[in-house]
Amino acid sequence: MMELIPLIIWLIQDLLYIVVFPGLVTILVLAIVIIWLERKIAAKVQMRFGPLWVSKRIGGALQSVADLLRFSFQEFIVPEKSDRWAFIVAPGLMFAFSMISLIFIPVGPYYSYLFPSYYTILFSVGMIIITPIFAILVGWSSDNKFSFIGALREAFLLISYEVPFLLSVASMIVLYRTFNYVDAVAYQFRGLPGLVLNPLAALTLLIVMIRTTGRFPFDITEADSELVMGLFTEYSALFFGIGMATPYVELYAFSLIFSLLFLGGWWPAPLYAHGPIMGLIIPGIVVVVKAFIVMALLVFLRAVYPRYRLDQAIRSGWSYVLLLSVLSVLLSFGEVMLLR
Amino acid sequence: MSEVRKPRDPVTGHIKALAKGFKYLIEPNRMTLDYPAETMKLPPNYRGFFTVDDVKCIGCSMCEMVCPPEAITMVPRIVGSGGKTLPAESAPQDQKAAKRTKRPVVNWGKCIFCYFCVDVCPVDAFRPTGVHDVAFYTDREYRPTYEEYLNPPEDPYKSSKKVVSKADKKRGVSYEPAP
Ligand code: SF4
Ligand code: SF4
């Protein structure tokens, strides 16, 4: 019995690392910051002020906190004709699966001792791919034409952009010859970052990221000028907040994947290190900063782009993006042949 | 056969757009006002809330007829001392003695601030108040009684900084404190 105590302490400690560091707390802070940043960047480019009324001194940075508080205390209304259970459960599942994908994304070498798995790339990608299915469920269960059209659009886009997504990840798997993030990062430590090795895959993944997280120019499922709020038209209170936050969690997960696969992971920090400080906190901060830069770049697109029409988005999905991803796989094969 | 579409250049347009956006990000060119803290000083006859001069008005109902959204209702009044009017209910028992007339009341929920009524009035009885932005919190506040209509809403942003806009060659528009 006595031997178990240090084990339990160790377990709790490690769980805390996971909850605090790549997980919940960081996401909450990042989501709040990135939402504010998105609105502020868009406002700057579009000659406006952006959020300012809450906490004027620091440029309205607390606006998202205020919104979150407001969402938490609002009344939650379930429409009479909605599919009650699906309506309540689907947004939660959507959020949950985008969070679960984070577990498989190691932000430091120490992390992979906590969750030893050889197939982390596959698991995280698989979990992220599941989330749009719940988005479709959300739209279907609301019994609202706007949500339904949003769900249909989501389904169309899901089909057109999933193939390029998987191909771009597959091309990196081919290149690194591993299914594991830590080995992929190790490969980049030995040579060049993935962005240089296979820029086509990086570009494809970026485009797919924009599409899956519904950033401009692909915010077709939300399309507030046509569909009110898209999938989440009927939602209120915290559930609406979840619906709003899920794309940001996905964005975070995607950006982490991007920085691990293409930006050299925790590059200036040491590759293998033991202990939570050198093995998790410092490399984690490096990865999160890289991911944050990617996120900031993507939210910047909101300021520049108008929205694609559905058919345009689908056409470019099946033409340019698919072509890019196929080329990226070929490029990876070519490099593997040459480097061997 | 439908016309074959030339494929558009998929790259340069995006790069140009991103570069332009980035330029504005580092050199923001703000055109809007920090609204409730700063408000525009508007010219005196800029169409806003208006009230009627009880003494000047002759009750001809021209304003009611011309109003496009039918926002004006004529309420029955009786002429009291000094040209001021009194509510019709306060008419003396001797109905003949009371001089009956009508006065306009505007429903702010309907009014589109076209000022046709102001223009059409033969005796120039309407008077702009210089108040433009008022929020009403209940439906009832939209529909003033005649007595309420004589005292139009107050400017809620009286204490805010007043600015005037100025054409600016470089920025498009700029603001400076009102004189
Ligand atoms: S301003 Fe135009 S809409 Fe308003 S009361 Fe006068 S005529 Fe009617
Ligand atoms: S306000 Fe002018 S137009 Fe309207 S009833 Fe009076 S006098 Fe006639």
Side-chain angles (χ1 to χ4, degrees), chain A residues 40-50 52-53 56 217 297 300-301 303-305 308-309 311-312 315 320, chain B residues 5 7-10 13-15 17-18 20-22 24-25 28-38:
Chain A
K40 216 63 187 175
I41 288 178
K44 274 231 150 59
V45 176
Q46 294 166 356
M47 309 178 180
R48 299 180 279 120
F49 271 93
L52 194 62
W53 195 244
K56 210 162 191 171
L297 275 179
F300 164 69
L301 298 180
V304 180
Y305 280 109
Y308 272 140
R309 267 193 338 256
D311 61 319
Q312 290 171 327
R315 190 187 306 136
Y320 300 125
Chain B
R5 274 228 236 144
R8 277 193 227 112
D9 178 0
H14 290 278
I15 293 177
L18 290 175
K20 187 140 219 169
F22 194 69
Y24 275 115
L25 181 64
N29 178 15
R30 184 175 294 134
M31 287 202 178
T32 53
L33 280 179
D34 180 10
Y35 172 60
E38 300 171 327

Side-chain angles (χ1 to χ4, degrees), chain A residues 24 76 83-101 127 130-139 141 231-232 235-247 249-250:
Chain A
L24 285 169
F76 179 53
D83 188 330
R84 210 181 157 78
W85 281 110
F87 187 79
I88 295 172
V89 170
L93 283 177
M94 199 172 141
F95 187 70
F97 273 97
S98 53
M99 292 293 280
I100 289 172
S101 70
M127 287 300 148
I130 291 178
T131 51
I133 293 173
F134 293 107
I136 294 168
L137 189 59
V138 164
S141 65
L231 300 169
F232 281 87
Y235 282 82
S236 49
L238 205 53
F239 286 75
F240 180 79
I242 287 176
M244 211 178 109
T246 308
V249 178
E250 282 176 347

